Amino acid sequence: MPEPDWLAYTGAITGIIGAVAGVAGAITACIALRRTKELKALDLRLELRRMEGTLQSDIQDLIPLLERAKTSYTRLAAAQGKFGSGATEEWISQWEADIAEARELVAGSTVLDIDCTGFSQAALEARLVTVHKLQNQVGKFAQKYQDSLAVDCHGREQLRADQRALMQAREGKH
């Protein structure tokens, strides 16, 4: 039994509709992919700007932190009568190496002022990794000298306690 003509036309029409829908779907997918890449790049740029801003602030705070730590350490060492000791000389020697490296970081922080709007996604990712490594390096310096300040604070408290005990002992002898 032969097929009716309308059935042949229906198959051809649905085939054309399917092909058009497939092409439209492919075009939509391409547009969505491009848009997703643009949004990903925008997210990377925003993250990079945020990290660079934080890094610049941390770098600018680094030298004053190291200076405060040195002042605190040397004053405490002098108060404890340990200023000329080998431990103090070693600490100051390490501090001098660290301050030189910190100054290099400060001088190199001008690299952070680059406009990244034209960077590719791969370039943005590479720059993020670099900024993250610098942030870790600055964080380690900062933590080292914040810890040093905390130790000095404890040392000052101990020195005050020793002084109070000495004064109480003297007052008790009179």
PDB file of all heavy atoms in Angstrom, residues 24-64:
ATOM      1  N   ALA A  24      20.220  26.181  15.263  1.00  0.00           N
ATOM      2  CA  ALA A  24      19.944  27.220  16.262  1.00  0.00           C
ATOM      3  C   ALA A  24      20.540  26.827  17.611  1.00  0.00           C
ATOM      4  O   ALA A  24      21.108  27.660  18.327  1.00  0.00           O
ATOM      5  CB  ALA A  24      18.438  27.452  16.388  1.00  0.00           C
ATOM      6  N   GLY A  25      20.443  25.568  17.975  1.00  0.00           N
ATOM      7  CA  GLY A  25      21.031  25.091  19.223  1.00  0.00           C
ATOM      8  C   GLY A  25      22.541  25.216  19.223  1.00  0.00           C
ATOM      9  O   GLY A  25      23.149  25.600  20.228  1.00  0.00           O
ATOM     10  N   ALA A  26      23.163  24.899  18.098  1.00  0.00           N
ATOM     11  CA  ALA A  26      24.619  25.017  17.994  1.00  0.00           C
ATOM     12  C   ALA A  26      25.054  26.478  18.100  1.00  0.00           C
ATOM     13  O   ALA A  26      26.033  26.794  18.780  1.00  0.00           O
ATOM     14  CB  ALA A  26      25.107  24.409  16.689  1.00  0.00           C
ATOM     15  N   ILE A  27      24.308  27.369  17.443  1.00  0.00           N
ATOM     16  CA  ILE A  27      24.625  28.802  17.506  1.00  0.00           C
ATOM     17  C   ILE A  27      24.451  29.301  18.944  1.00  0.00           C
ATOM     18  O   ILE A  27      25.309  30.023  19.469  1.00  0.00           O
ATOM     19  CB  ILE A  27      23.745  29.604  16.523  1.00  0.00           C
ATOM     20  CG1 ILE A  27      24.159  29.281  15.084  1.00  0.00           C
ATOM     21  CG2 ILE A  27      23.848  31.100  16.790  1.00  0.00           C
ATOM     22  CD1 ILE A  27      23.226  29.836  14.030  1.00  0.00           C
ATOM     23  N   THR A  28      23.358  28.897  19.589  1.00  0.00           N
ATOM     24  CA  THR A  28      23.115  29.298  20.976  1.00  0.00           C
ATOM     25  C   THR A  28      24.221  28.776  21.889  1.00  0.00           C
ATOM     26  O   THR A  28      24.687  29.487  22.782  1.00  0.00           O
ATOM     27  CB  THR A  28      21.741  28.780  21.452  1.00  0.00           C
ATOM     28  OG1 THR A  28      20.734  29.265  20.565  1.00  0.00           O
ATOM     29  CG2 THR A  28      21.442  29.224  22.866  1.00  0.00           C
ATOM     30  N   ALA A  29      24.648  27.532  21.676  1.00  0.00           N
ATOM     31  CA  ALA A  29      25.720  26.964  22.484  1.00  0.00           C
ATOM     32  C   ALA A  29      27.025  27.732  22.291  1.00  0.00           C
ATOM     33  O   ALA A  29      27.753  27.987  23.253  1.00  0.00           O
ATOM     34  CB  ALA A  29      25.912  25.487  22.150  1.00  0.00           C
ATOM     35  N   CYS A  30      27.325  28.106  21.059  1.00  0.00           N
ATOM     36  CA  CYS A  30      28.545  28.890  20.785  1.00  0.00           C
ATOM     37  C   CYS A  30      28.490  30.245  21.470  1.00  0.00           C
ATOM     38  O   CYS A  30      29.477  30.692  22.061  1.00  0.00           O
ATOM     39  CB  CYS A  30      28.745  29.052  19.280  1.00  0.00           C
ATOM     40  SG  CYS A  30      29.268  27.548  18.450  1.00  0.00           S
ATOM     41  N   ILE A  31      27.342  30.901  21.392  1.00  0.00           N
ATOM     42  CA  ILE A  31      27.176  32.201  22.043  1.00  0.00           C
ATOM     43  C   ILE A  31      27.310  32.053  23.558  1.00  0.00           C
ATOM     44  O   ILE A  31      27.988  32.851  24.213  1.00  0.00           O
ATOM     45  CB  ILE A  31      25.812  32.830  21.658  1.00  0.00           C
ATOM     46  CG1 ILE A  31      25.824  33.237  20.183  1.00  0.00           C
ATOM     47  CG2 ILE A  31      25.501  34.035  22.544  1.00  0.00           C
ATOM     48  CD1 ILE A  31      24.468  33.651  19.641  1.00  0.00           C
ATOM     49  N   ALA A  32      26.689  31.012  24.110  1.00  0.00           N
ATOM     50  CA  ALA A  32      26.775  30.775  25.554  1.00  0.00           C
ATOM     51  C   ALA A  32      28.207  30.480  25.981  1.00  0.00           C
ATOM     52  O   ALA A  32      28.666  30.950  27.017  1.00  0.00           O
ATOM     53  CB  ALA A  32      25.851  29.630  25.952  1.00  0.00           C
ATOM     54  N   LEU A  33      28.926  29.705  25.173  1.00  0.00           N
ATOM     55  CA  LEU A  33      30.324  29.390  25.483  1.00  0.00           C
ATOM     56  C   LEU A  33      31.178  30.655  25.474  1.00  0.00           C
ATOM     57  O   LEU A  33      31.983  30.884  26.381  1.00  0.00           O
ATOM     58  CB  LEU A  33      30.866  28.366  24.486  1.00  0.00           C
ATOM     59  CG  LEU A  33      32.307  27.923  24.695  1.00  0.00           C
ATOM     60  CD1 LEU A  33      32.459  27.230  26.045  1.00  0.00           C
ATOM     61  CD2 LEU A  33      32.748  27.005  23.569  1.00  0.00           C
ATOM     62  N   ARG A  34      30.990  31.486  24.456  1.00  0.00           N
ATOM     63  CA  ARG A  34      31.751  32.735  24.375  1.00  0.00           C
ATOM     64  C   ARG A  34      31.421  33.633  25.564  1.00  0.00           C
ATOM     65  O   ARG A  34      32.303  34.227  26.182  1.00  0.00           O
ATOM     66  CB  ARG A  34      31.458  33.453  23.066  1.00  0.00           C
ATOM     67  CG  ARG A  34      32.329  34.666  22.889  1.00  0.00           C
ATOM     68  CD  ARG A  34      32.263  35.320  21.514  1.00  0.00           C
ATOM     69  NE  ARG A  34      31.312  34.743  20.615  1.00  0.00           N
ATOM     70  CZ  ARG A  34      30.352  35.419  19.969  1.00  0.00           C
ATOM     71  NH1 ARG A  34      30.250  36.716  20.154  1.00  0.00           N
ATOM     72  NH2 ARG A  34      29.531  34.831  19.145  1.00  0.00           N
ATOM     73  N   ARG A  35      30.143  33.709  25.892  1.00  0.00           N
ATOM     74  CA  ARG A  35      29.716  34.541  27.022  1.00  0.00           C
ATOM     75  C   ARG A  35      30.287  34.004  28.342  1.00  0.00           C
ATOM     76  O   ARG A  35      30.720  34.762  29.199  1.00  0.00           O
ATOM     77  CB  ARG A  35      28.183  34.578  27.071  1.00  0.00           C
ATOM     78  CG  ARG A  35      27.629  35.463  28.127  1.00  0.00           C
ATOM     79  CD  ARG A  35      27.837  36.925  27.781  1.00  0.00           C
ATOM     80  NE  ARG A  35      27.238  37.736  28.825  1.00  0.00           N
ATOM     81  CZ  ARG A  35      27.781  38.832  29.285  1.00  0.00           C
ATOM     82  NH1 ARG A  35      28.886  39.285  28.760  1.00  0.00           N
ATOM     83  NH2 ARG A  35      27.199  39.511  30.224  1.00  0.00           N
ATOM     84  N   THR A  36      30.309  32.699  28.487  1.00  0.00           N
ATOM     85  CA  THR A  36      30.872  32.079  29.682  1.00  0.00           C
ATOM     86  C   THR A  36      32.358  32.405  29.805  1.00  0.00           C
ATOM     87  O   THR A  36      32.850  32.705  30.898  1.00  0.00           O
ATOM     88  CB  THR A  36      30.651  30.560  29.662  1.00  0.00           C
ATOM     89  OG1 THR A  36      29.249  30.303  29.597  1.00  0.00           O
ATOM     90  CG2 THR A  36      31.230  29.895  30.884  1.00  0.00           C
ATOM     91  N   LYS A  37      33.068  32.346  28.681  1.00  0.00           N
ATOM     92  CA  LYS A  37      34.499  32.690  28.706  1.00  0.00           C
ATOM     93  C   LYS A  37      34.698  34.147  29.093  1.00  0.00           C
ATOM     94  O   LYS A  37      35.615  34.479  29.846  1.00  0.00           O
ATOM     95  CB  LYS A  37      35.132  32.413  27.344  1.00  0.00           C
ATOM     96  CG  LYS A  37      35.362  30.946  27.072  1.00  0.00           C
ATOM     97  CD  LYS A  37      36.042  30.738  25.735  1.00  0.00           C
ATOM     98  CE  LYS A  37      36.289  29.257  25.468  1.00  0.00           C
ATOM     99  NZ  LYS A  37      36.951  29.040  24.191  1.00  0.00           N
ATOM    100  N   GLU A  38      33.832  35.023  28.565  1.00  0.00           N
ATOM    101  CA  GLU A  38      33.941  36.441  28.917  1.00  0.00           C
ATOM    102  C   GLU A  38      33.685  36.655  30.411  1.00  0.00           C
ATOM    103  O   GLU A  38      34.382  37.428  31.062  1.00  0.00           O
ATOM    104  CB  GLU A  38      32.944  37.262  28.087  1.00  0.00           C
ATOM    105  CG  GLU A  38      33.302  37.379  26.627  1.00  0.00           C
ATOM    106  CD  GLU A  38      32.195  38.025  25.806  1.00  0.00           C
ATOM    107  OE1 GLU A  38      31.144  38.395  26.367  1.00  0.00           O
ATOM    108  OE2 GLU A  38      32.386  38.148  24.580  1.00  0.00           O
ATOM    109  N   LEU A  39      32.662  35.977  30.936  1.00  0.00           N
ATOM    110  CA  LEU A  39      32.359  36.104  32.364  1.00  0.00           C
ATOM    111  C   LEU A  39      33.478  35.531  33.224  1.00  0.00           C
ATOM    112  O   LEU A  39      33.817  36.093  34.264  1.00  0.00           O
ATOM    113  CB  LEU A  39      31.032  35.420  32.688  1.00  0.00           C
ATOM    114  CG  LEU A  39      29.785  36.125  32.164  1.00  0.00           C
ATOM    115  CD1 LEU A  39      28.546  35.288  32.427  1.00  0.00           C
ATOM    116  CD2 LEU A  39      29.640  37.507  32.790  1.00  0.00           C
ATOM    117  N   LYS A  40      34.065  34.427  32.781  1.00  0.00           N
ATOM    118  CA  LYS A  40      35.186  33.822  33.508  1.00  0.00           C
ATOM    119  C   LYS A  40      36.369  34.792  33.527  1.00  0.00           C
ATOM    120  O   LYS A  40      37.005  34.991  34.571  1.00  0.00           O
ATOM    121  CB  LYS A  40      35.582  32.499  32.845  1.00  0.00           C
ATOM    122  CG  LYS A  40      36.770  31.823  33.454  1.00  0.00           C
ATOM    123  CD  LYS A  40      36.482  31.283  34.819  1.00  0.00           C
ATOM    124  CE  LYS A  40      37.686  30.496  35.302  1.00  0.00           C
ATOM    125  NZ  LYS A  40      37.554  30.025  36.632  1.00  0.00           N
ATOM    126  N   ALA A  41      36.644  35.406  32.387  1.00  0.00           N
ATOM    127  CA  ALA A  41      37.740  36.379  32.323  1.00  0.00           C
ATOM    128  C   ALA A  41      37.441  37.580  33.216  1.00  0.00           C
ATOM    129  O   ALA A  41      38.332  38.088  33.909  1.00  0.00           O
ATOM    130  CB  ALA A  41      37.976  36.822  30.888  1.00  0.00           C
ATOM    131  N   LEU A  42      36.175  38.015  33.229  1.00  0.00           N
ATOM    132  CA  LEU A  42      35.789  39.135  34.094  1.00  0.00           C
ATOM    133  C   LEU A  42      35.977  38.751  35.560  1.00  0.00           C
ATOM    134  O   LEU A  42      36.522  39.533  36.351  1.00  0.00           O
ATOM    135  CB  LEU A  42      34.334  39.531  33.831  1.00  0.00           C
ATOM    136  CG  LEU A  42      33.774  40.640  34.718  1.00  0.00           C
ATOM    137  CD1 LEU A  42      34.544  41.939  34.522  1.00  0.00           C
ATOM    138  CD2 LEU A  42      32.301  40.842  34.443  1.00  0.00           C
ATOM    139  N   ASP A  43      35.550  37.548  35.935  1.00  0.00           N
ATOM    140  CA  ASP A  43      35.749  37.075  37.306  1.00  0.00           C
ATOM    141  C   ASP A  43      37.226  37.032  37.667  1.00  0.00           C
ATOM    142  O   ASP A  43      37.623  37.423  38.769  1.00  0.00           O
ATOM    143  CB  ASP A  43      35.145  35.683  37.496  1.00  0.00           C
ATOM    144  CG  ASP A  43      33.622  35.687  37.547  1.00  0.00           C
ATOM    145  OD1 ASP A  43      33.041  36.780  37.693  1.00  0.00           O
ATOM    146  OD2 ASP A  43      33.027  34.599  37.435  1.00  0.00           O
ATOM    147  N   LEU A  44      38.049  36.552  36.737  1.00  0.00           N
ATOM    148  CA  LEU A  44      39.492  36.495  36.986  1.00  0.00           C
ATOM    149  C   LEU A  44      40.071  37.895  37.151  1.00  0.00           C
ATOM    150  O   LEU A  44      40.912  38.126  38.018  1.00  0.00           O
ATOM    151  CB  LEU A  44      40.204  35.750  35.864  1.00  0.00           C
ATOM    152  CG  LEU A  44      40.000  34.242  35.827  1.00  0.00           C
ATOM    153  CD1 LEU A  44      40.605  33.654  34.551  1.00  0.00           C
ATOM    154  CD2 LEU A  44      40.618  33.583  37.036  1.00  0.00           C
ATOM    155  N   ARG A  45      39.617  38.844  36.303  1.00  0.00           N
ATOM    156  CA  ARG A  45      40.107  40.222  36.418  1.00  0.00           C
ATOM    157  C   ARG A  45      39.723  40.831  37.760  1.00  0.00           C
ATOM    158  O   ARG A  45      40.531  41.504  38.397  1.00  0.00           O
ATOM    159  CB  ARG A  45      39.554  41.081  35.280  1.00  0.00           C
ATOM    160  CG  ARG A  45      40.367  41.021  34.045  1.00  0.00           C
ATOM    161  CD  ARG A  45      39.947  42.083  33.021  1.00  0.00           C
ATOM    162  NE  ARG A  45      40.212  41.542  31.716  1.00  0.00           N
ATOM    163  CZ  ARG A  45      39.345  40.847  30.976  1.00  0.00           C
ATOM    164  NH1 ARG A  45      38.126  40.662  31.396  1.00  0.00           N
ATOM    165  NH2 ARG A  45      39.694  40.366  29.809  1.00  0.00           N
ATOM    166  N   LEU A  46      38.479  40.597  38.178  1.00  0.00           N
ATOM    167  CA  LEU A  46      38.034  41.134  39.472  1.00  0.00           C
ATOM    168  C   LEU A  46      38.830  40.524  40.620  1.00  0.00           C
ATOM    169  O   LEU A  46      39.263  41.228  41.534  1.00  0.00           O
ATOM    170  CB  LEU A  46      36.539  40.871  39.657  1.00  0.00           C
ATOM    171  CG  LEU A  46      35.604  41.675  38.757  1.00  0.00           C
ATOM    172  CD1 LEU A  46      34.162  41.198  38.926  1.00  0.00           C
ATOM    173  CD2 LEU A  46      35.714  43.154  39.045  1.00  0.00           C
ATOM    174  N   GLU A  47      39.022  39.217  40.579  1.00  0.00           N
ATOM    175  CA  GLU A  47      39.807  38.538  41.612  1.00  0.00           C
ATOM    176  C   GLU A  47      41.243  39.050  41.616  1.00  0.00           C
ATOM    177  O   GLU A  47      41.838  39.283  42.675  1.00  0.00           O
ATOM    178  CB  GLU A  47      39.774  37.021  41.381  1.00  0.00           C
ATOM    179  CG  GLU A  47      40.596  36.228  42.360  1.00  0.00           C
ATOM    180  CD  GLU A  47      40.078  36.238  43.779  1.00  0.00           C
ATOM    181  OE1 GLU A  47      38.932  36.660  44.002  1.00  0.00           O
ATOM    182  OE2 GLU A  47      40.837  35.843  44.683  1.00  0.00           O
ATOM    183  N   LEU A  48      41.800  39.246  40.432  1.00  0.00           N
ATOM    184  CA  LEU A  48      43.167  39.750  40.315  1.00  0.00           C
ATOM    185  C   LEU A  48      43.273  41.158  40.888  1.00  0.00           C
ATOM    186  O   LEU A  48      44.198  41.450  41.647  1.00  0.00           O
ATOM    187  CB  LEU A  48      43.609  39.725  38.853  1.00  0.00           C
ATOM    188  CG  LEU A  48      45.023  40.194  38.557  1.00  0.00           C
ATOM    189  CD1 LEU A  48      46.037  39.326  39.290  1.00  0.00           C
ATOM    190  CD2 LEU A  48      45.284  40.158  37.055  1.00  0.00           C
ATOM    191  N   ARG A  49      42.331  42.021  40.558  1.00  0.00           N
ATOM    192  CA  ARG A  49      42.364  43.391  41.092  1.00  0.00           C
ATOM    193  C   ARG A  49      42.265  43.385  42.616  1.00  0.00           C
ATOM    194  O   ARG A  49      42.950  44.139  43.297  1.00  0.00           O
ATOM    195  CB  ARG A  49      41.226  44.222  40.494  1.00  0.00           C
ATOM    196  CG  ARG A  49      41.485  44.637  39.085  1.00  0.00           C
ATOM    197  CD  ARG A  49      40.397  45.544  38.573  1.00  0.00           C
ATOM    198  NE  ARG A  49      40.584  45.790  37.157  1.00  0.00           N
ATOM    199  CZ  ARG A  49      39.610  45.776  36.273  1.00  0.00           C
ATOM    200  NH1 ARG A  49      38.370  45.538  36.645  1.00  0.00           N
ATOM    201  NH2 ARG A  49      39.863  46.018  35.002  1.00  0.00           N
ATOM    202  N   ARG A  50      41.393  42.528  43.151  1.00  0.00           N
ATOM    203  CA  ARG A  50      41.237  42.442  44.596  1.00  0.00           C
ATOM    204  C   ARG A  50      42.535  41.963  45.248  1.00  0.00           C
ATOM    205  O   ARG A  50      43.014  42.554  46.213  1.00  0.00           O
ATOM    206  CB  ARG A  50      40.084  41.494  44.943  1.00  0.00           C
ATOM    207  CG  ARG A  50      39.781  41.428  46.432  1.00  0.00           C
ATOM    208  CD  ARG A  50      38.789  40.332  46.771  1.00  0.00           C
ATOM    209  NE  ARG A  50      39.280  39.006  46.471  1.00  0.00           N
ATOM    210  CZ  ARG A  50      40.164  38.326  47.218  1.00  0.00           C
ATOM    211  NH1 ARG A  50      40.677  38.887  48.286  1.00  0.00           N
ATOM    212  NH2 ARG A  50      40.546  37.112  46.888  1.00  0.00           N
ATOM    213  N   MET A  51      43.115  40.908  44.685  1.00  0.00           N
ATOM    214  CA  MET A  51      44.356  40.365  45.251  1.00  0.00           C
ATOM    215  C   MET A  51      45.509  41.359  45.122  1.00  0.00           C
ATOM    216  O   MET A  51      46.324  41.485  46.030  1.00  0.00           O
ATOM    217  CB  MET A  51      44.715  39.046  44.563  1.00  0.00           C
ATOM    218  CG  MET A  51      43.859  37.886  45.020  1.00  0.00           C
ATOM    219  SD  MET A  51      44.352  36.324  44.271  1.00  0.00           S
ATOM    220  CE  MET A  51      45.923  36.043  45.085  1.00  0.00           C
ATOM    221  N   GLU A  52      45.577  42.054  43.990  1.00  0.00           N
ATOM    222  CA  GLU A  52      46.653  43.034  43.813  1.00  0.00           C
ATOM    223  C   GLU A  52      46.507  44.188  44.793  1.00  0.00           C
ATOM    224  O   GLU A  52      47.496  44.663  45.344  1.00  0.00           O
ATOM    225  CB  GLU A  52      46.669  43.551  42.371  1.00  0.00           C
ATOM    226  CG  GLU A  52      47.225  42.569  41.382  1.00  0.00           C
ATOM    227  CD  GLU A  52      47.181  43.049  39.950  1.00  0.00           C
ATOM    228  OE1 GLU A  52      46.380  43.954  39.625  1.00  0.00           O
ATOM    229  OE2 GLU A  52      47.935  42.507  39.131  1.00  0.00           O
ATOM    230  N   GLY A  53      45.274  44.634  45.025  1.00  0.00           N
ATOM    231  CA  GLY A  53      45.048  45.704  45.998  1.00  0.00           C
ATOM    232  C   GLY A  53      45.467  45.289  47.399  1.00  0.00           C
ATOM    233  O   GLY A  53      46.131  46.042  48.122  1.00  0.00           O
ATOM    234  N   THR A  54      45.096  44.081  47.780  1.00  0.00           N
ATOM    235  CA  THR A  54      45.486  43.555  49.089  1.00  0.00           C
ATOM    236  C   THR A  54      46.995  43.422  49.177  1.00  0.00           C
ATOM    237  O   THR A  54      47.606  43.793  50.183  1.00  0.00           O
ATOM    238  CB  THR A  54      44.816  42.188  49.328  1.00  0.00           C
ATOM    239  OG1 THR A  54      43.402  42.345  49.268  1.00  0.00           O
ATOM    240  CG2 THR A  54      45.207  41.611  50.675  1.00  0.00           C
ATOM    241  N   LEU A  55      47.596  42.896  48.121  1.00  0.00           N
ATOM    242  CA  LEU A  55      49.048  42.715  48.106  1.00  0.00           C
ATOM    243  C   LEU A  55      49.767  44.054  48.207  1.00  0.00           C
ATOM    244  O   LEU A  55      50.728  44.181  48.977  1.00  0.00           O
ATOM    245  CB  LEU A  55      49.480  41.971  46.842  1.00  0.00           C
ATOM    246  CG  LEU A  55      50.975  41.730  46.665  1.00  0.00           C
ATOM    247  CD1 LEU A  55      51.537  40.935  47.833  1.00  0.00           C
ATOM    248  CD2 LEU A  55      51.241  41.003  45.354  1.00  0.00           C
ATOM    249  N   GLN A  56      49.323  45.050  47.463  1.00  0.00           N
ATOM    250  CA  GLN A  56      49.965  46.365  47.540  1.00  0.00           C
ATOM    251  C   GLN A  56      49.870  46.934  48.948  1.00  0.00           C
ATOM    252  O   GLN A  56      50.845  47.474  49.471  1.00  0.00           O
ATOM    253  CB  GLN A  56      49.326  47.340  46.543  1.00  0.00           C
ATOM    254  CG  GLN A  56      49.797  47.135  45.132  1.00  0.00           C
ATOM    255  CD  GLN A  56      49.185  48.129  44.173  1.00  0.00           C
ATOM    256  OE1 GLN A  56      48.028  48.511  44.312  1.00  0.00           O
ATOM    257  NE2 GLN A  56      49.949  48.528  43.178  1.00  0.00           N
ATOM    258  N   SER A  57      48.719  46.797  49.566  1.00  0.00           N
ATOM    259  CA  SER A  57      48.548  47.285  50.933  1.00  0.00           C
ATOM    260  C   SER A  57      49.472  46.540  51.897  1.00  0.00           C
ATOM    261  O   SER A  57      50.138  47.158  52.734  1.00  0.00           O
ATOM    262  CB  SER A  57      47.088  47.100  51.351  1.00  0.00           C
ATOM    263  OG  SER A  57      46.920  47.440  52.701  1.00  0.00           O
ATOM    264  N   ASP A  58      49.510  45.222  51.746  1.00  0.00           N
ATOM    265  CA  ASP A  58      50.380  44.419  52.622  1.00  0.00           C
ATOM    266  C   ASP A  58      51.850  44.748  52.406  1.00  0.00           C
ATOM    267  O   ASP A  58      52.623  44.795  53.371  1.00  0.00           O
ATOM    268  CB  ASP A  58      50.143  42.930  52.388  1.00  0.00           C
ATOM    269  CG  ASP A  58      48.778  42.464  52.878  1.00  0.00           C
ATOM    270  OD1 ASP A  58      48.098  43.247  53.571  1.00  0.00           O
ATOM    271  OD2 ASP A  58      48.399  41.317  52.547  1.00  0.00           O
ATOM    272  N   ILE A  59      52.250  44.968  51.165  1.00  0.00           N
ATOM    273  CA  ILE A  59      53.644  45.312  50.872  1.00  0.00           C
ATOM    274  C   ILE A  59      53.994  46.665  51.488  1.00  0.00           C
ATOM    275  O   ILE A  59      55.063  46.836  52.069  1.00  0.00           O
ATOM    276  CB  ILE A  59      53.919  45.303  49.352  1.00  0.00           C
ATOM    277  CG1 ILE A  59      53.985  43.860  48.843  1.00  0.00           C
ATOM    278  CG2 ILE A  59      55.217  46.032  49.017  1.00  0.00           C
ATOM    279  CD1 ILE A  59      54.120  43.734  47.332  1.00  0.00           C
ATOM    280  N   GLN A  60      53.080  47.629  51.389  1.00  0.00           N
ATOM    281  CA  GLN A  60      53.345  48.955  51.944  1.00  0.00           C
ATOM    282  C   GLN A  60      53.431  48.916  53.474  1.00  0.00           C
ATOM    283  O   GLN A  60      54.129  49.718  54.077  1.00  0.00           O
ATOM    284  CB  GLN A  60      52.277  49.961  51.493  1.00  0.00           C
ATOM    285  CG  GLN A  60      52.271  50.217  50.001  1.00  0.00           C
ATOM    286  CD  GLN A  60      53.622  50.610  49.438  1.00  0.00           C
ATOM    287  OE1 GLN A  60      54.340  51.429  50.002  1.00  0.00           O
ATOM    288  NE2 GLN A  60      53.989  50.016  48.306  1.00  0.00           N
ATOM    289  N   ASP A  61      52.733  47.980  54.094  1.00  0.00           N
ATOM    290  CA  ASP A  61      52.766  47.841  55.560  1.00  0.00           C
ATOM    291  C   ASP A  61      53.976  47.050  56.045  1.00  0.00           C
ATOM    292  O   ASP A  61      54.268  47.038  57.241  1.00  0.00           O
ATOM    293  CB  ASP A  61      51.491  47.146  56.057  1.00  0.00           C
ATOM    294  CG  ASP A  61      50.238  47.977  55.840  1.00  0.00           C
ATOM    295  OD1 ASP A  61      50.364  49.191  55.597  1.00  0.00           O
ATOM    296  OD2 ASP A  61      49.133  47.401  55.920  1.00  0.00           O
ATOM    297  N   LEU A  62      54.664  46.376  55.136  1.00  0.00           N
ATOM    298  CA  LEU A  62      55.731  45.454  55.515  1.00  0.00           C
ATOM    299  C   LEU A  62      56.943  46.169  56.123  1.00  0.00           C
ATOM    300  O   LEU A  62      57.425  45.771  57.182  1.00  0.00           O
ATOM    301  CB  LEU A  62      56.150  44.625  54.300  1.00  0.00           C
ATOM    302  CG  LEU A  62      57.052  43.434  54.562  1.00  0.00           C
ATOM    303  CD1 LEU A  62      56.384  42.459  55.530  1.00  0.00           C
ATOM    304  CD2 LEU A  62      57.375  42.724  53.250  1.00  0.00           C
ATOM    305  N   ILE A  63      57.440  47.206  55.485  1.00  0.00           N
ATOM    306  CA  ILE A  63      58.642  47.916  55.981  1.00  0.00           C
ATOM    307  C   ILE A  63      58.374  48.503  57.372  1.00  0.00           C
ATOM    308  O   ILE A  63      59.185  48.291  58.285  1.00  0.00           O
ATOM    309  CB  ILE A  63      59.104  49.001  54.986  1.00  0.00           C
ATOM    310  CG1 ILE A  63      59.465  48.384  53.638  1.00  0.00           C
ATOM    311  CG2 ILE A  63      60.252  49.823  55.561  1.00  0.00           C
ATOM    312  CD1 ILE A  63      60.716  47.560  53.617  1.00  0.00           C
ATOM    313  N   PRO A  64      57.259  49.217  57.579  1.00  0.00           N
ATOM    314  CA  PRO A  64      57.003  49.732  58.932  1.00  0.00           C
ATOM    315  C   PRO A  64      56.902  48.610  59.978  1.00  0.00           C
ATOM    316  O   PRO A  64      57.359  48.788  61.113  1.00  0.00           O
ATOM    317  CB  PRO A  64      55.672  50.479  58.800  1.00  0.00           C
ATOM    318  CG  PRO A  64      55.600  50.864  57.361  1.00  0.00           C
ATOM    319  CD  PRO A  64      56.272  49.747  56.619  1.00  0.00           C
TER     320      PRO A  64
END
